[in-house]
Amino acid sequence: APFCCASLLCEASSFGTHTHRVTAMEDQVASFCSLTGCTPDVASQYLEMCGGNLENAVSVFFESGGSAGAGGGPSDVPFIPPEEDEVRAADEVYQEQLLGAAQERARQQSEADAAKVANGLRIGSSGDGSNPSAFDDMFKLPEELICKEPFQDVLGKAEQTGMWVLVNIQKPDDFSSHILNRDVWREETICELLQGSFLFWQRFSETPDGQQFMDLYKVHELPHIAIVDPRTGRSVKSWHGQKWKDPSCALESLMDFLDRHTLDAPKPQPAAQAAAEQPAKKARSEEPESASAAPPVPAPHVPVLVPDEPEKGPGVATVSFKLPSGERLSRNFRLEDSVSLLFDVVGNHLCVSPATVELDSQFPRRSLRTVIDSTVKDADLGGSMVMCRTV
């Protein structure tokens, strides 16, 4: 008898706990239905998906496109049986592929994400921003980087400022396009690089500007990324956007491009201008020798005394130089060394006066003469590539 009583008490206790849980779940389902207007079955699915958290379940419901009355009920239209002599037409033939539940959910979620991100994220869209969401903040366009001018105007501006034009053509319903906005164009280091060396021109493929660029440069795969020479309008380098999904790969591609290409070389002279200058050059060549002064004899170069190169270790940074000939030079500097020492080292290597040397950092792009009195540490030159030229 004692054993039977104990068993009954345990069963009663378990039944009471189960009843309490069922009641709590019913309350959450009722609350979910009152907030969303959906059926109890739909409410139970969202609550189960969110671990019973009512607030999260309601948020997921509305962010995934749910609306009041979702789930619906049976139709109120009465069923009218066909007449006895009526012959029903044959059903249409369909071909379907059976997918696992996990695969189908992933496919639907990917399509839903791309559709949500594309909605309201188009350049020149008329969205009033009255219904912001987490998707808008996460995948919004990098407006602070994008040039709003037409492509030809951007080329002219880039030529005047000595910068490359980085083009990104995106497809609104392609999720990989929005991954670029979320992970690449918002990466701090890449933003600094773009602001220092590029003008960024981004458009969707469905816009007139985007379609015109695709027709002109024969773009067939999206998202498309290209670097255009503003002097000639030629696409110097292009990538498929899938290869840039990792910010580190994107940064490496941009740095490698800047290392291999430069806009410092003079633009080829038009043939008409060259022909117009020929008479003046011929007249100068026919002047009597007595009228032309003898060219000055350059003074021999006197190397500047510089300290010995330190070995690698704490407090030492390596700086790489790309010389006018294309040759590369690497040297170690102490962090407390003045930036002026870099000019002395390059001048000695080129056998010219440091005053005729110009050094430009690429990341960010700037003239090192603006920080010539700073230290290597303060100028953040450790591990950087410096472009060299003489004037």
Side-chain angles (χ1 to χ4, degrees):
F3 173 77
C4 293
C5 291
S7 300
L8 289 174
L9 288 174
C10 290
E11 291 178 2
S13 175
S14 299
F15 178 76
T17 302
H18 175 72
T19 302
H20 175 72
R21 291 176 180 173
V22 171
T23 303
M25 177 59 84
E26 290 177 348
D27 291 342
Q28 288 184 320
V29 170
S31 299
F32 190 99
C33 291
S34 64
L35 291 171
T36 63
C38 69
T39 63
D41 290 339
V42 175
S44 299
Q45 294 175 6
Y46 278 92
L47 286 167
E48 182 179 357
M49 182 171 57
C50 296
N53 188 305
L54 178 62
E55 182 179 354
N56 289 345
V58 172
S59 299
V60 170
F61 174 80
F62 285 112
E63 289 188 1
S64 61
S67 59
S75 173
D76 295 332
V77 179
F79 173 72
I80 301 176
E83 298 180 4
E84 293 183 359
D85 296 338
E86 182 181 352
V87 179
R88 184 171 61 87
D91 294 335
E92 295 184 15
V93 178
Y94 296 94
Q95 291 185 353
E96 298 181 349
Q97 181 180 3
L98 183 61
L99 299 177
Q103 291 175 300
E104 178 63 14
R105 283 197 299 269
R107 183 189 66 81
Q108 293 176 351
Q109 185 63 39
S110 177
E111 292 180 355
D113 288 348
K116 291 178 183 302
V117 174
N119 184 24
L121 292 183
R122 292 169 171 80
I123 294 178
S125 64
S126 58
D128 56 4
S130 59
N131 187 26
S133 70
F135 287 106
D136 295 333
D137 292 335
M138 188 179 301
F139 298 100
K140 65 181 180 181
L141 298 173
E143 298 287 353
E144 65 280 2
L145 296 175
I146 299 175
C147 293
K148 301 300 190 298
E149 299 91 338
F151 183 64
Q152 291 298 327
D153 293 348
V154 173
L155 287 179
K157 182 179 178 181
E159 184 176 6
Q160 293 176 358
T161 57
M163 304 177 78
W164 298 96
V165 178
L166 179 63
V167 177
N168 176 213
I169 304 298
Q170 298 194 342
K171 187 178 181 182
D173 57 354
D174 182 8
F175 197 58
S176 59
S177 293
H178 305 293
I179 291 295
L180 291 173
N181 295 335
R182 184 189 68 183
D183 297 340
V184 176
W185 306 134
R186 299 198 176 279
E187 206 280 328
E188 183 178 358
T189 307
I190 293 179
C191 286
E192 292 180 1
L193 184 60
L194 294 186
Q195 292 170 347
S197 302
F198 297 92
L199 293 185
F200 185 55
W201 195 79
Q202 183 190 64
R203 295 294 187 272
F204 280 113
S205 58
E206 61 182 18
T207 63
D209 283 347
Q211 190 60 54
Q212 185 179 12
F213 182 91
M214 293 175 62
D215 293 341
L216 180 62
Y217 288 89
K218 312 299 181 188
V219 177
H220 304 291
E221 295 183 345
L222 298 174
H224 178 77
I225 299 170
I227 297 178
V228 178
D229 188 333
R231 302 168 299 178
T232 62
R234 183 175 66 92
S235 178
V236 182
K237 183 72 175 178
S238 63
W239 300 265
H240 190 281
Q242 291 282 358
K243 298 180 179 180
W244 279 40
K245 294 176 68 174
D246 184 357
S248 61
C249 294
L251 180 60
E252 182 179 353
S253 298
L254 290 174
M255 293 295 292
D256 181 67
F257 177 87
L258 292 176
D259 188 26
R260 296 172 180 271
H261 301 82
T262 178
L263 287 174
D264 294 336
K267 181 179 179 180
Q269 190 180 39
Q273 182 179 353
E277 293 180 356
Q278 284 298 324
K281 292 181 178 178
K282 183 177 180 181
R284 287 195 298 268
S285 65
E286 293 176 353
E287 291 180 356
E289 295 183 1
S290 58
S292 60
V297 179
H301 170 67
V302 179
V304 179
L305 185 62
V306 297
D308 293 335
E309 180 180 3
E311 296 183 357
K312 291 184 178 180
V316 175
T318 301
V319 180
S320 299
F321 301 92
K322 186 172 183 180
L323 304 177
S325 63
E327 177 189 358
R328 295 195 187 189
L329 171 67
S330 294
R331 191 186 191 279
N332 297 328
F333 295 88
R334 295 179 178 85
L335 293 178
E336 63 270 17
D337 285 340
S338 172
V339 174
S340 62
L341 180 59
L342 277 67
F343 288 83
D344 296 338
V345 169
V346 173
N348 286 348
H349 186 85
L350 298 177
C351 296
V352 297
S353 170
T356 64
V357 173
E358 289 295 333
L359 303 179
D360 299 305
S361 65
Q362 293 292 306
F363 192 51
R365 188 178 180 86
R366 61 179 175 179
S367 171
L368 294 189
R369 287 204 175 275
T370 61
V371 291
I372 196 169
D373 295 327
S374 302
T375 64
V376 172
K377 179 180 179 181
D378 293 339
D380 195 21
L381 294 175
S384 62
M385 170 67 72
V386 176
M387 308 300 294
C388 309
R389 53 193 174 89
T390 57
V391 294

